[in-house]
Amino acid sequence: MSFESAQTDSAPLEAILLVGGKGTRLRPLTIGVPKPLLPTAGVPFLAHQLAKAAAAGVTRIVLATSYRAEMFEQVLGDGSEFGLELTYVQETDPLGTGGGIRNAAAHLRSGPDDPVVVLNGDVLSGHDITAQVELHRKADAAVTLHLVQVPDPARFGCVPTDLAGRVTDFLEKAPEPVTNQINAGCYVFTRKFIDAMPAGVVLSVELETFPGLIAAGETVMGYVESAYWLDVGTPEAFVRGSCDLVLGELGSTALPGQPGDALLLPGASVHSSAVLSGGTTVGAGSSLAAGVTATGSVVFDDVQIGAGASIHASVIGAGARIGPGAVLDGVIIGTGAEIGSGNELRHGARIWPGVRLDGTAIRFSTDA
Ligand code: GTP
């Protein structure tokens, strides 16, 4: 992979990438690997975000790490592969989204009036970061938030704006939404407003910083663009995001191949009678025997799937063994787990790493 930064006339643009969360909703996948590094359409999730940031003219990114901090540099290196300079900062105890931003800011080179992009490390977005930064500059704002319109805003931070596009309130997970605009997890801060945040304490931008800036009368702008957007924090969304990247629903220059029905990584072996569709990825060294069907799923590296097994909307962790005829639908199989032949696991089942389900076939389903 090789990525080039976009050429821009303005000063080098820096970003902070928030990647310190524990990713509890994606357990057991996140027991050994932090969510932003999970294989997604064939590459670590962050590769897609880094490629996009570089294309938008970002030249340097400070990664705010905490959970499994040491793994980020091992996987992403100095960032030159992406046309970026990457710096890693570790919070010994997680400082929350605001504390993480404040802590990372000590490693920025931008001046007090420069814009700094802040990205949540678990969002896939097709929005135009350059246009968001332009709006921020034009409005001379303290912060400019990317907002998307969704049909079910109650699950998210609900963010109303006035006719001028100025954010009037920030209602994190409001029970009765007043707008369908939600916080999409990409912010542009004017640097001095990050430096003004309290240092060394746990802080939430969603619960404290944004509401505080609005209450203080600072200019907080909403950049509304409903391009492709997905928070991959849940198992269903993680699978959806990976498949959408493979299918080309969201373009990514980090995709290792051309968009299509399925992505096979080098060293994957798939029997000619197996059927792959829906943006399924098959990882390196994995093998799918005769008659396997895999739709809309993510198969990590070194997995073996026996003849006639059926896999749908599921994630199969690295090194797992799936027996012949097994049926997996909407499930997560942890690293190295073994699912014996004929087992049937459905919606919501999560099998922890190393667990063996064999002998008499079991059926597990959360369906009524
Ligand atoms: P869940 O535990 O499943 O909710 O996931 P999460 O831990 O990633 O939390 P959430 O999805 O709310 O986090 C949004 C973004 O902020 C993610 O990119 C996280 O990595 C990041 N994040 C959350 N908490 C912290 C923190 O304390 N420090 C840093 N540096 N980043 C954080």
Side-chain angles (χ1 to χ4, degrees):
M1 283 184 293
S2 171
F3 305 95
E4 298 297 327
S5 292
Q7 298 298 309
T8 54
D9 296 335
S10 44
L13 185 59
E14 290 186 298
I16 292 170
L17 190 47
L18 286 170
V19 292
K22 290 192 173 141
T24 48
R25 289 167 296 160
L26 280 183
R27 279 160 70 86
L29 296 175
T30 47
I31 291 174
V33 179
K35 176 169 59 174
L37 295 180
L38 286 174
T40 310
V43 291
F45 180 82
L46 284 186
H48 301 289
Q49 280 193 317
L50 295 180
K52 180 182 160 71
V58 173
T59 56
R60 191 165 173 273
I61 299 186
V62 182
L63 281 90
T65 72
S66 181
Y67 178 66
R68 300 240 165 221
E70 72 293 344
M71 293 183 75
F72 288 90
E73 190 163 7
Q74 287 165 10
V75 172
L76 302 170
D78 65 2
S80 50
E81 185 185 355
F82 304 94
L84 290 164
E85 183 188 338
L86 299 182
T87 296
Y88 302 87
V89 180
Q90 182 178 351
E91 297 149 42
T92 315
D93 291 315
L95 291 170
T97 49
I101 295 169
R102 177 67 180 85
N103 190 53
H107 301 260
L108 294 171
R109 294 182 191 140
S110 302
D113 294 318
D114 289 335
V116 174
V117 177
V118 176
L119 298 157
N120 274 359
D122 58 356
V123 169
L124 284 175
S125 176
H127 85 285
D128 185 345
I129 295 175
T130 308
Q132 185 182 353
V133 174
E134 265 170 32
L135 173 67
H136 179 82
R137 286 187 203 272
K138 264 195 207 142
D140 194 19
V143 189
T144 301
L145 313 173
H146 174 215
L147 308 178
V148 288
Q149 292 166 332
V150 296
D152 54 346
R155 291 197 299 124
F156 303 92
C158 187
V159 189
T161 46
D162 66 15
L163 288 175
R166 207 168 153 150
V167 173
T168 53
D169 216 340
F170 196 96
L171 306 158
E172 185 67 358
K173 306 211 166 75
E176 292 198 14
V178 294
T179 167
N180 65 348
Q181 291 176 174
I182 62 153
N183 169 24
C186 175
Y187 322 121
V188 182
F189 272 84
T190 295
R191 159 91 196 250
K192 63 187 172 205
F193 286 94
I194 301 179
D195 294 338
M197 290 157 66
V201 293
V202 175
L203 188 68
S204 158
V205 279
E206 297 87 355
L207 297 175
E208 293 162 273
T209 310
F210 298 146
L213 286 170
I214 294 163
E218 299 293 354
T219 305
V220 178
M221 294 298 291
Y223 171 76
V224 184
E225 186 187 333
S226 295
Y228 180 99
W229 181 83
L230 189 67
D231 172 342
V232 301
T234 63
E236 300 75 21
F238 174 74
V239 175
R240 180 76 266 140
S242 181
C243 293
D244 283 349
L245 285 159
V246 171
L247 290 165
E249 299 287 327
L250 174 66
S252 170
T253 54
L255 183 72
Q258 293 304 310
D261 273 349
L263 172 68
L264 267 59
L265 296 185
S269 108
V270 176
H271 191 274
S272 57
S273 63
V275 179
L276 305 182
S277 63
T280 294
T281 296
V282 181
S286 290
S287 68
L288 274 57
V292 168
T293 54
T295 57
S297 292
V298 188
V299 177
F300 288 178
D301 292 349
D302 302 316
V303 169
Q304 287 177 18
I305 302 182
S310 166
I311 318 290
H312 175 67
S314 295
V315 185
I316 316 294
R321 302 278 177 269
I322 312 299
V327 176
L328 306 180
D329 185 351
V331 305
I332 292 185
I333 306 297
T335 305
E338 294 184 28
I339 310 299
S341 60
N343 280 293
E344 187 174 317
L345 304 176
R346 293 193 186 270
H347 306 140
R350 299 181 190 211
I351 305 301
W352 248 237
V355 167
R356 291 182 62 185
L357 296 181
D358 53 10
T360 310
I362 65 151
R363 293 166 73 96
F364 174 94
S365 172
T366 53
D367 289 346

